[in-house]
Structures are given as structure tokens and as C-alpha cells.
Amino acid sequence: MGLFRRNKNNNRPVIRHLLDLVPRWIFETCTKGHNSDKGSSKYRTYDQFVALTFGQLNKCQSLNDISAGIGVSEIFISDLGLTQSPARSTMSDGNKMRNWRVFESLYYRLLSHFTSALKKQHCTHIIKEIKAKSIKLIDSSVISLCLAMFDWAEFRTAKGGIKLHTCFDAGLMIPEIVNISPAKIHDRHGLEQLIFPKDTIIVEDRAYFDFSLMLNRIKAKNVFVTRIKTNTLYETVEELELPEGIDQNILKDEIIQLTSKKAAETGISKHKLRLVHVYREDENKVIAIITNQLDWEYNTIAELYKKRWDIELFFKAIKQNLQVKTFWGTSENAVKSQIYVALICYLLLELVKRTIAKGPVAFSNLSEKIRFCLYHYLSLDYVCNQVNEGV
């Protein structure tokens, strides 16, 4: 793929436009905060960030691919703000030694910096009864690894893996909390923050079904919406009437109390809860959704749980369009650095998608166009709105 300069745009390649979305003062703050340039004169934090970002956006399979790709032209190297194309060994040392937390800090600072713009331009399905409420979606996703190469990521006897524990803000549609752990860590213990400010709604699957957690959320005036475990003991206090002829997918709506010994020991048995049984035609099964909210419409409860699909779409998007399954280093530090740079790329692409693209565009289509145009000297506006899909 050649290099092109177009007077109607400017003299920067597409990847440089994306890199320039990261305010330099934020980058320098993170670098100084973690002292990540100490003892490094040639391959600095910014050089590593450029290399990892290039690898992400170009879906490079190896460090050799990154080095060769950046080194395609002296002009290209200069226009990326680099003095030379980083060698494979230099990048390998940087991935192993430079603290991954500098990229974690950069992600969270960028998220804070762009929150208003991202939220303002985001369109999502609004559930009328709770349109002013804060909704958090919590879930995790496993990425398999070769245990022989990633021995720190033990999962099963002959298998390795890591798990991305994520808290997703439904109004922002961007992960606001991410923790990377070995895959053997249970979802319930993957995030430190599972209690939120008053009136926050938390939607999650049954991996987070825990009596103590439920009780603490009730005390904090959080609303939880999750699936009940199939072996949970409870008694029905009241079965709520369902209107006839509409919402045939809602099979039962009832007020319950948990009755097991463990429920009594934790104290959750003293609280009335609600159980909504929903038939899912696409899977031909019934799911039972439990919540501590007794007053909302049953459809609100069902739609809230359906919102979990948004975080599943995030996991799918990042795995299909960015490089989070093939790693350029085997150390824990290298893997975490790569994943947090992938999250930064996801955030920047979402920013472009919401603020520059003039019409609706799928994340995968935008990622593809960016990848094809990465070397070209075009504006982001031109790439988003003039370049056809599948170029």
C-alpha cells in the first residue's frame, strides 16, 4: 500500500490523525506519573504507544510486522513523530519492562477527557421508565492462551487464559472499569467495585448472583437485575397479575423471598424480591430475572436484562477488529500493555465514529476503512464520509 499526499487534505497520514486525538499533555502526565521514560533514551513511552497503536489498527501478527510496517518510508516514520522504526528486539524489551499501568492510566484519562463528547453523540435504546437513571452492565470475557508460553495465566490443567472483567456504562457505551486477571478468577471477584452510588442500576448475569452482594446493594440503594440460579430456594409471596393478550413472552411476575439456610444467615431472606419469568424465542428457553425493584413495569425489567447484549457486542467488536487474541509478547506486562492500547484504540475509533462520521456506520466497517487507509495522507472526515466500505 503506497503513500499518498493530497493537498485537499493535509500532510499527515490517517494513523497520525488518530494519534493526535490523544492530547499530548494527558500523555505526558501519565508518562511522568509512572516515570515510564526513566533510563530510556531511544525507545520512549510515546514510541511504544505509536508502535502498539500501529499494530492494533493494522492488525499486525508480530513485532516484525510492526517494525516493517512503520519502516516502509523515512517520510512515514517522521510523520509519525518518530526518529526511526523501532527494532523488534527494542519493542520486545519495552513490552516486557515498561510498566503497563502507564497505558491503563492513559485509557482512563482519555475516557474522562472525552466523556461529554462520547455521551452527547451516542444514540441508544432508552427505556422510558428509567431514562434518567445510571445503568451499569457488568460481565467478563475469556481470551484463551497457550499455557506453555503464558505460564502465569494458568486456567485449566492444559490450558491458559486471561479474563477481561468489565463494567460498561450503558449511557456512554464504553468500558469505564476494566480488570485483567487469569481466567481462573471467578467473575464475582474480578472487579473491586460492585457497589455504586444511590439509584444506580446494575445489570449482570448469574455469575454475580451472590446473597451478600445483593444485600450490600440493597443497603446502598442500588437496583440489581440478574438471573437467578436454578437451584435457588424461594417461596412466592404474591403472584402479580399480567394483562391478557399482550407481552406473551412474559410468563410470570411474582414477589418472592429467599428461603435457604445461607439466605437466612446473610439476612437477604428478610427482603422481598421480584422474579420475572421471560420466554426467549430465539433460544427457546425461559429465563428467570431477579431484582430488588418491586414497582417498575415487568417490561422494564425484561428490557434491562436484554441490555446485557450491549456489553457482549463490545467484546465481539474488540476481539474481531483489534488485536487482543494474538499477542506480541508472552509476559504479563506485555499482554496487559497490548490490551490497554487496544482499549485506547477502541475509544478513539468510537470517538471518530460518533463525532466525525456523518451517518450511521458499524464499528467493524469503520475499523476496516481506517486499516485500509492507515498509510494514506487523508483526513479522518474524508475516510469516514468519502471512502466507500470495502475499499
Side-chain angles (χ1 to χ4, degrees):
M1 189 176 294
L3 299 174
F4 301 92
R5 292 183 182 275
R6 296 195 178 188
N7 293 330
K8 66 180 181 180
N9 289 282
N10 51 57
N11 60 356
R12 292 180 297 167
V14 168
I15 184 174
R16 180 59 188 268
H17 286 292
L18 284 164
L19 291 168
D20 286 348
L21 291 175
V22 179
R24 201 55 187 255
W25 68 269
I26 291 180
F27 195 94
E28 294 299 332
T29 298
C30 295
T31 301
K32 291 177 182 177
H34 291 276
N35 202 18
S36 59
D37 279 338
K38 182 180 180 181
S40 177
S41 58
K42 292 185 177 180
Y43 190 60
R44 302 175 70 82
T45 307
Y46 182 77
D47 301 332
Q48 184 178 4
F49 178 62
V50 171
L52 293 178
T53 300
F54 178 85
Q56 287 291 344
L57 297 174
N58 207 29
K59 296 194 76 173
C60 294
Q61 296 296 307
S62 67
L63 293 177
N64 283 333
D65 291 349
I66 297 174
S67 181
I70 292 177
V72 69
S73 160
E74 292 294 333
I75 294 175
F76 185 66
I77 293 171
S78 176
D79 287 343
L80 287 180
L82 305 178
T83 57
Q84 61 183 4
S85 178
R88 179 197 176 283
S89 59
T90 303
M91 288 188 288
S92 179
D93 291 342
N95 290 346
K96 185 177 181 180
M97 303 303 296
R98 181 169 282 119
N99 192 339
W100 61 272
R101 290 195 179 277
V102 66
F103 301 114
E104 178 193 40
S105 296
L106 181 60
Y107 173 73
Y108 288 125
R109 282 185 172 270
L110 289 174
L111 180 61
S112 176
H113 183 73
F114 289 119
T115 289
S116 296
L118 288 165
K119 187 170 289 188
K120 182 179 179 181
Q121 299 297 330
H122 174 57
C123 296
T124 186
H125 171 63
I126 297 175
I127 303 174
K128 292 182 179 180
E129 190 171 14
I130 54 171
K131 63 181 180 180
K133 302 286 187 180
S134 172
I135 304 172
K136 309 296 182 185
L137 312 177
I138 297 177
D139 204 353
S140 70
S141 182
V142 173
I143 297 173
S144 296
L145 298 172
C146 174
L147 187 58
M149 296 177 65
F150 302 82
D151 55 2
W152 53 271
E154 185 179 350
F155 183 21
R156 296 187 177 122
T157 304
K159 186 177 181 181
I162 56 173
K163 188 178 285 188
L164 304 185
H165 304 271
T166 307
C167 177
F168 204 71
D169 186 282
L172 186 61
M173 292 295 283
I174 296 283
E176 65 174 11
I177 305 173
V178 175
N179 180 43
I180 305 167
S181 77
K184 65 181 180 180
I185 300 299
H186 193 276
D187 290 2
R188 168 67 179 82
H189 305 291
L191 292 174
E192 289 186 8
Q193 183 179 352
L194 289 171
I195 309 296
F196 296 89
K198 179 182 176 181
D199 293 332
T200 300
I201 302 167
I202 306 151
V203 184
E204 59 206 358
D205 68 14
R206 60 185 170 196
Y208 301 88
F209 184 83
D210 179 272
F211 294 156
S212 297
L213 179 60
M214 293 162 64
L215 185 62
N216 287 333
R217 285 173 171 171
I218 290 172
K219 292 177 180 177
K221 299 189 185 309
N222 291 170
V223 174
F224 58 82
V225 177
T226 186
R227 284 180 66 182
I228 194 170
K229 289 186 176 179
T230 53
N231 61 348
T232 303
L233 299 176
Y234 67 90
E235 64 179 22
T236 300
V237 176
E238 177 186 2
E239 185 168 341
L240 303 177
E241 186 176 349
L242 295 174
E244 295 184 6
I246 61 173
D247 301 323
Q248 297 298 307
N249 62 314
I250 308 296
L251 304 182
K252 187 187 290 186
D253 184 7
E254 54 187 338
I255 305 298
I256 67 167
Q257 283 185 295
L258 302 176
T259 58
S260 68
K261 180 180 178 181
K262 189 173 181 180
E265 289 173 351
T266 57
I268 191 67
S269 61
K270 298 177 183 178
H271 295 267
K272 291 182 180 180
L273 302 172
R274 188 172 179 188
L275 197 61
V276 179
H277 302 258
V278 182
Y279 174 68
R280 295 186 63 170
E281 186 174 0
D282 55 335
E283 299 181 24
N284 191 29
K285 68 178 183 181
V286 177
I287 61 172
I289 305 169
I290 190 169
T291 178
N292 58 324
Q293 171 49 249
L294 307 183
D295 301 321
W296 290 343
E297 291 289 330
Y298 54 81
N299 263 334
T300 298
I301 307 299
E303 286 188 61
L304 266 172
Y305 190 76
K306 191 176 180 180
K307 262 193 171 293
R308 281 191 62 256
W309 183 242
D310 290 339
I311 196 170
E312 298 291 347
L313 291 177
F314 158 72
F315 287 134
K316 182 179 179 181
I318 198 171
K319 287 182 178 180
Q320 289 185 348
N321 299 287
L322 294 168
Q323 207 64 301
V324 295
K325 293 195 289 185
T326 299
F327 290 95
W328 307 314
T330 57
S331 68
E332 183 177 1
N333 195 80
V335 168
K336 290 185 176 182
S337 294
Q338 185 172 331
I339 289 177
Y340 273 105
V341 172
L343 289 169
I344 291 169
C345 290
Y346 180 84
L347 187 154
L348 296 178
L349 289 172
E350 276 293 320
L351 183 67
V352 170
K353 176 173 172 281
R354 299 182 198 183
T355 61
I356 297 178
K358 295 178 180 176
V361 58
F363 183 86
S364 58
N365 291 339
L366 175 63
S367 301
E368 183 182 59
K369 290 200 286 185
I370 292 290
R371 184 164 63 254
F372 289 150
C373 297
L374 210 58
Y375 289 96
H376 293 257
Y377 287 70
L378 303 168
S379 69
L380 290 173
D381 179 84
Y382 187 88
V383 173
C384 289
N385 302 307
Q386 299 298 322
V387 176
N388 293 325
E389 295 176 8
V391 292

